[in-house]
Amino acid sequence: MPQGTPKLPSPHLWLIAVPVFVLVAGLGCNRRESPVEPSRTFDVRPAKAAVPIRFAETAPDALQDFVYRSGKDAGLKSILEIVGGGVACIDFDLDGRCDLFFPGGGEIDPQAETVRGAASLLLRAGDDWDYDDATEAAGIAVTDLYTHGVTAADFDHDGFVDLLVYGYSGVRLYRNQGDGTFRDVTDEAGLTAAPWTTAAAWADLSGNGMLDLYLGSYVQWDFKTHRTCRSRHGNADVCSPNAFSGGQDAVFLADDEGRFRLAPDWGDSPRNGRALGVVTATIEPSQPPAVYVANDLSANLLFRQMPDGKYAESGIASGVAVSASGTPNGSMGIAVLDFSGNQRFDLMVTNFEHEQIALYRNDGGGLFRHASRESGLNTLDAAVVGFGIVAADFSGDGREDVLLTSGHIQYDAASGGIEQEPVLLKNVDGHTFQRQIPPDCDYFRRKSCGRGLAFADLDNDGAPDVVITHLFEPPVILRNLPGETHAWLRVRLIGTRSPRTPIGTVVHAAAGDHMMSRQLYGGGSYLSQSQQELFFRWPGDRPVDLKIEWSGGSRQQVSGIAPGQVLTLVEP
């Protein structure tokens, strides 16, 4: 461990209950239509009626003037300006409230052929949905990098969450000093050789208890390779990613002192598939986290650890690389969820227009099947171009629902404008998804160019709220209105043998005969970081029994946990 790591509680103090009270938020440019998915036999049990989901849009003053700087005003119609920016939901000052960090983007100067960064925004949460601008005080404006995304973890094991900010071209690692400020430690940590980065995820890939990094890269774009293409209407527009060579993903492995080294031979497959999403997650019990990469117009990748400890790519063999018809998609965001409640984790991926949102159902043994049609996803509007995606129980019935942002990548899209409506999918009894438009929330009827998406319990009432980012307009915060009384539990995990942020740890919760499985995974969504806690909600008020499968190998069982609290579990 790095010097200065605080001593963790002894094993007999591993369970800490903290009550919480209510306080008064493709680029896939595939221009061909995918073949129609072949028919298949599937479960035809009738689905139950969907439980309504209700949101209310909030508008904090501190967000009203913040708009991601894409560089659109340069008039270049570049692929760089269409990527967008994300958001991170973190409690950086440990006051029990989720703060928000927004990468700021940058500026493009065609005459000087330069790309410059624009200031990011850090908002410290206060009472009653109020936020203060803490960017300058915290020293994390990040103006030296054209930024897209952000991912969070306690990489140095000191109890404070750190931030990795990434974009064109490279990354910045900011260590949380624990006094309300951050310090740029990129160079001293050895993260100096990162490419144009459009996806990032932490996980212990080497088994030494330290967090490593998988960095996904998009395409090889610069002013020399820049091209302007034509839309179907003949107007100048953004080119397809097929016009550029794919970037090279990078893997950085951490040593015992928290320094990183580039591992160019990691895995057994080329990693230049135009990555726009990456997630690190446990897909098989008692196995180390796998790495799943969502690529634009090339097959998605799944890296799993083999018996010899090395990682090998198995996307095609596992069934998560392509569409049901065997063609690569224009893939962007990724969610990890237990859709049917069978205690196995499925993968859900947003894709380009005329490509179904992909649900890869986990059949066990490392094998998945494309289940979009049988789950009702084939009925959605074919024009949807999905980006950020999260899975969370928004209704409180114990099932994980799905929310995704959408927006085109062409200013003059043939299917309509660049702006599109978000998509909210209710999980109906683990059988099908039904699209819902929450009543009294105009945001779901309004078109925008959605990009980043994260969820967090922003008002500490146990219900997951949502933060969404856009191109060309300020972010929005959607407050979850729980409606009926539901039991809830948030689980905060602290690793000891596992990394302190124990990516890949799984918690199974049983409320009577109702089973819920959640895990702490790295990456996911699109350019964004959701709150790093596990959310459980269920009807009624009965207590739950928990079974914890730590990523470091420990197993625990805890019985009779009362609902309505934040529970901190420390790995024994």
Side-chain angles (χ1 to χ4, degrees):
M1 296 289 183
Q3 292 184 352
T5 301
K7 184 178 180 180
L8 288 166
S10 58
H12 67 279
L13 296 177
W14 68 272
L15 181 62
I16 308 168
V18 183
V20 175
F21 303 95
V22 175
L23 304 174
V24 187
L27 291 189
C29 314
N30 188 349
R31 295 193 172 97
R32 65 183 183 275
E33 292 190 12
S34 298
V36 176
E37 180 184 298
S39 61
R40 67 167 73 229
T41 301
F42 57 91
D43 189 349
V44 293
R45 292 175 302 163
K48 294 181 180 179
V51 177
I53 300 172
R54 298 178 63 231
F55 284 103
E57 184 175 350
T58 66
D61 292 339
L63 269 181
Q64 296 309 298
D65 297 327
F66 178 79
V67 178
Y68 180 82
R69 300 287 294 276
S70 68
K72 175 188 175 184
D73 54 358
L76 203 59
K77 300 290 194 300
S78 69
I79 197 169
L80 172 62
E81 68 196 63
I82 211 69
V83 173
V87 57
C89 302
I90 58 168
D91 181 7
F92 82 95
D93 53 1
L94 298 185
D95 67 351
R97 302 180 178 120
C98 219
D99 311 301
L100 303 176
F101 177 84
F102 298 90
E107 300 177 349
I108 303 171
D109 187 337
Q111 285 71 42
E113 295 191 348
T114 58
V115 175
R116 298 187 296 272
S120 299
L121 177 67
L122 175 65
L123 297 182
R124 178 185 284 113
D127 293 332
D128 198 21
W129 297 92
D130 185 33
Y131 292 86
D132 295 323
D133 187 343
T135 313
E136 184 176 353
I140 195 169
V142 203
T143 56
D144 63 339
L145 179 71
Y146 182 114
T147 53
H148 294 305
V150 56
T151 188
D154 184 2
F155 90 96
D156 57 354
H157 306 269
D158 66 352
F160 294 92
V161 64
D162 310 297
L163 290 178
L164 181 88
V165 186
Y166 55 89
Y168 184 91
S169 74
V171 301
R172 297 291 182 270
L173 179 60
Y174 286 90
R175 173 176 284 148
N176 189 334
Q177 301 289 90
D179 59 359
T181 68
F182 291 83
R183 183 168 67 90
D184 187 342
V185 295
T186 310
D187 291 341
E188 64 186 77
L191 292 175
T192 57
W196 179 11
T197 303
T198 46
W202 298 93
D204 182 6
L205 303 177
S206 54
N208 65 352
M210 306 296 289
L211 286 173
D212 309 303
L213 268 173
Y214 190 103
L215 303 179
S217 182
Y218 194 36
V219 298
Q220 297 182 28
W221 177 91
D222 57 25
F223 290 98
K224 293 180 180 179
T225 62
H226 171 71
R227 295 173 55 190
T228 299
C229 296
R230 296 287 169 181
S231 70
R232 290 182 179 178
H233 299 126
N235 299 317
D237 216 323
V238 178
C239 286
S240 162
N242 276 336
F244 309 95
S245 299
Q248 180 65 41
D249 296 357
V251 177
F252 285 89
L253 302 179
D255 62 22
D256 293 340
E257 300 299 320
R259 285 186 53 84
F260 297 88
R261 63 174 179 84
L262 184 64
D265 298 326
W266 185 91
D268 64 345
S269 175
R271 302 187 304 276
N272 54 355
R274 307 183 185 94
L276 286 174
V278 61
V279 70
T280 48
T282 296
I283 61 173
E284 297 178 78
S286 304
Q287 294 296 312
V291 180
Y292 182 62
V293 184
N295 288 320
D296 194 356
L297 295 182
S298 60
N300 298 335
L301 305 174
L302 178 64
F303 293 95
R304 297 161 53 200
Q305 192 178 81
M306 299 293 105
D308 62 1
K310 297 181 180 179
Y311 277 78
E313 204 284 312
S314 63
I316 292 290
S318 297
V320 295
V322 293
S323 70
S325 57
T327 58
N329 290 140
S331 299
M332 274 78 82
I334 310 170
V336 179
L337 71 161
D338 178 11
F339 167 61
S340 58
N342 62 1
Q343 302 179 58
R344 291 197 293 260
F345 289 96
D346 313 301
L347 297 169
M348 202 160 174
V349 183
T350 55
N351 291 317
F352 195 59
E353 64 180 347
H354 299 294
E355 299 173 346
Q356 295 173 8
I357 300 167
L359 174 63
Y360 299 104
R361 295 188 70 162
N362 189 339
D363 285 337
L367 299 177
F368 294 76
R369 59 188 170 91
H370 196 284
S372 296
R373 183 168 180 256
E374 65 189 72
S375 60
L377 296 175
N378 63 319
T379 65
L380 297 178
D381 185 354
V384 168
V385 179
F387 279 87
I389 180 171
V390 294
D393 182 3
F394 295 115
S395 67
D397 65 356
R399 302 284 189 185
E400 290 173 286
D401 312 301
V402 170
L403 175 63
L404 61 100
T405 62
S406 63
H408 216 283
I409 54 78
Q410 291 181 312
Y411 297 108
D412 185 31
S415 58
I418 194 171
E419 298 177 334
Q420 298 182 343
E421 295 175 349
V423 177
L424 175 62
L425 299 170
K426 178 70 187 73
N427 182 339
V428 183
D429 201 29
H431 174 63
T432 61
F433 286 109
Q434 291 181 3
R435 185 170 185 177
Q436 289 196 357
I437 298 178
D440 305 320
C441 186
D442 290 339
Y443 181 76
F444 287 90
R445 300 171 178 84
R446 189 170 76 235
K447 292 184 177 181
S448 57
C449 192
R451 288 299 185 260
L453 171 61
F455 72 88
D457 186 2
L458 298 177
D459 54 359
N460 286 331
D461 66 353
D465 309 297
V466 176
V467 186
I468 302 175
T469 70
H470 312 96
L471 287 175
F472 322 132
E473 62 183 272
V476 302
I477 297 175
L478 301 179
R479 180 182 180 182
N480 190 329
L481 304 176
E484 298 180 10
T485 301
H486 301 283
W488 64 271
L489 180 71
R490 280 173 32 206
V491 177
R492 182 179 300 149
L493 300 167
I494 299 177
T496 54
R497 285 186 288 178
S498 310
R500 188 178 177 101
T501 304
I503 302 297
T505 295
V506 173
V507 177
H508 304 287
D513 59 358
H514 190 95
M515 290 295 304
M516 298 167 285
S517 297
R518 309 286 186 262
Q519 76 164 290
L520 184 66
Y521 57 84
S525 191
Y526 178 77
L527 306 175
S528 300
Q529 175 71 66
S530 293
Q531 185 174 9
Q532 290 180 312
E533 296 179 5
L534 304 187
F535 285 59
F536 297 92
R537 302 177 73 201
W538 62 97
D541 59 359
R542 68 181 65 189
V544 294
D545 301 329
L546 302 181
K547 182 173 70 174
I548 306 98
E549 300 170 356
W550 292 90
S551 60
S554 302
R555 297 293 181 268
Q556 291 178 324
Q557 292 189 5
V558 188
S559 300
I561 302 300
Q565 62 175 307
V566 178
L567 184 71
T568 299
L569 300 178
V570 179
E571 183 181 18

